[in-house]
Amino acid sequence: MEKEFLGNTNFNISSQTVTESCPSNIALIKYWGKYENQIPANPSISYTLNHCRTNTTMEFSAGEEFSVQTFLAGNEEQKFAEKIEKYFKNIEQYLPWILKGKYVIRTENTFPHSSGIASSASGFGAIAKCLMQLDAAFSGSISEEVSLEKASFLARLGSGSACRSLYNGLVVWGNTKEVEGSSDLYAVQYPNDEIHPVFKNFNDWVLLIHEGEKSVSSTVGHGLMKTNPYAERRFQEAHENFATLKDILKTGDLEGFIKLTEHEALTLHALMMMSDPAFILMKTGTLEVINKIWEFRRITGLPLFFTLDAGANVHLLFPNDIESDKIKIFIKQELLPFTQNGGVVKDEMRF
Ligand code: DP6
C-alpha cells in the first residue's frame, strides 16, 4: 500500500521558498496506542479547528549539504531542528530529493504554546504541505487530491494526529468498516452529507487550566498502551464507538454526541491512570470544571460539554446557536476562575 506514495527518482531541484498554513484539530474518538511506523491501534475522528493554526515558511537551498535550522516564533529551536532532520531522513523514499539541500524553517502558531493545543498536528501538517509544494516543483505536479493524500500520509509519519489536520470538518484516520475509504496510512474527510447541520457549526473554547510542559509526551503515552492490560478492549471499543457515532452524526442526536465525546475523553485519561507507570494529567481545576459542566447541564439542559487532550486543559464544546450566549456567560462567570491565568482560546468548527 505504501508503494503508491514512493517518490519519483527523476527530479530536478532548485532553491525555493514555500509557505503553507495548517490548522490544529481536536479528536472526538481518540488515537491512543500505535504500532510500528505510525500505524494507529484504532481509528480516530477529529474536528479541524478554524483559528488555531501553524504558519510555516520553508527555505530550501538546493545542492548544499543537508541540514535543518528551525525558528519558532522567531527564536531558534535546536531540538525541533533535530526532530525534523530525523523525520526528513525517515521519509526519503517518499521524497527522494529531500536530503539534497539545506533548510531554514520558520513557524508561528496563532495560539499560545502553553495552551496544550496540539502544535505537533498543525506543525507537521504545515511542513508536509510545504514538502508537497517543493515536490510539485521538483518532480512535476500531481492532482490536488493525490497531493493532499500524500501530505496527510507524510504528516502522519511526523505525528499521528497531524494527518487529520489536512482536511476540514470531521476527519477520520484509521481503518474502520464504518467509513468507506478510511485508512491507517492517511486521513480522509468524513462524508459531509452524512453529518447533521447541528454538528457543522460548533464552538471549541479551550480553558487553560494549567500552562506549561506536560509530564508525559504523547509518544511515551502511546508506548504505555503496549503493556496496558485494558488496551485490546479499548481498541475494540473505539471501533464500536465509530458505529455509534455514525448514527449520531446522521440523525443529529446531540445527547448521544455529548455522552460519547465525554466518555472518550475520560477513557483517554483513565488509560493513562491505568498505565505502568501511571500518569494523572488532569489537575484539580480540570475536575472542578467537569463537575461544574455536569451540574450546569443538569440544571439548564443546555448542550455544554467537554473533551480533553493529553493534558489538564479543557476543551469546552457547544453548538453555535441562539442558546450559546447563555453558555458563554456561564463559562465566563463560573469556569474561567479555574484557569491558571484567566486564559481561554476561542475557536470554532464551521464547515
Ligand atoms: C491524545 O499525534 O501527538 O491527542 O503520533 O506520537 O506524534 P504521535 O502522537 P500524537 O497523539 C495524539 C493523541 C491525542 C488524541 C488524538 O489526537 O487522537
Side-chain angles (χ1 to χ4, degrees), residues 132-194:
M132 286 312 294
Q133 243 200 79
L134 291 178
D135 192 50
F138 304 160
S139 316
S141 55
I142 45 178
S143 78
E144 201 180 319
E145 198 186 329
V146 177
S147 172
L148 211 54
E149 198 170 281
K150 185 161 175 178
S152 175
F153 171 86
L154 293 172
R156 180 195 108 241
L157 295 171
S159 177
S161 56
C163 74
R164 297 187 309 240
S165 274
L166 275 298
Y167 298 92
N168 289 329
L170 283 167
V171 184
V172 174
W173 169 40
N175 197 11
T176 160
K177 65 176 174 24
E178 304 301 336
V179 181
E180 214 191 307
S182 58
S183 167
D184 286 344
L185 301 180
Y186 50 85
V188 296
Q189 202 159 25
Y190 191 84
N192 221 356
D193 54 0
E194 295 287 315

Side-chain angles (χ1 to χ4, degrees), residues 25-34 38 42-46 83 116 118 120-121 124 155-164 173 214 217-223 234 268-269 272 308-311:
N25 70 74
I26 179 70
L28 301 168
I29 294 179
K30 309 286 182 182
Y31 147 56
W32 199 242
K34 62 177 165 183
Q38 294 283 99
N42 65 259
S44 58
I45 183 167
S46 58
K83 201 169 168 183
S120 73
F124 274 102
R156 180 195 108 241
L157 295 171
S159 177
S161 56
C163 74
R164 297 187 309 240
W173 169 40
K214 287 189 286 188
S217 74
S218 297
T219 306
V220 172
H222 289 293
R234 154 63 192 157
L268 171 69
H269 283 258
M272 287 188 255
L308 306 166
D309 232 325

Side-chain angles (χ1 to χ4, degrees), residues 52-175:
C52 292
R53 318 178 63 89
T54 299
N55 300 318
T56 298
T57 297
M58 190 181 278
E59 264 174 60
F60 175 73
S61 304
E64 297 210 28
E65 197 183 331
F66 174 62
S67 69
V68 179
Q69 195 179 16
T70 56
F71 294 87
L72 265 168
N75 301 317
E76 184 159 9
E77 289 278 341
Q78 188 66 29
K79 265 208 173 128
F80 189 50
E82 284 163 19
K83 201 169 168 183
I84 299 298
E85 245 184 72
K86 215 169 130 195
Y87 168 59
F88 282 8
K89 285 179 183 161
N90 195 28
I91 58 175
E92 191 188 7
Q93 55 180 317
Y94 307 114
L95 301 168
W97 48 265
I98 198 165
L99 303 181
K100 309 228 175 287
K102 183 184 124 187
Y103 297 80
V104 178
I105 300 171
R106 293 172 208 281
T107 77
E108 306 222 349
N109 296 330
T110 62
F111 50 90
H113 187 62
S114 57
S115 63
I117 293 167
S119 62
S120 73
S122 51
F124 274 102
I127 284 175
K129 282 169 87 175
C130 285
L131 291 174
M132 286 312 294
Q133 243 200 79
L134 291 178
D135 192 50
F138 304 160
S139 316
S141 55
I142 45 178
S143 78
E144 201 180 319
E145 198 186 329
V146 177
S147 172
L148 211 54
E149 198 170 281
K150 185 161 175 178
S152 175
F153 171 86
L154 293 172
R156 180 195 108 241
L157 295 171
S159 177
S161 56
C163 74
R164 297 187 309 240
S165 274
L166 275 298
Y167 298 92
N168 289 329
L170 283 167
V171 184
V172 174
W173 169 40
N175 197 11

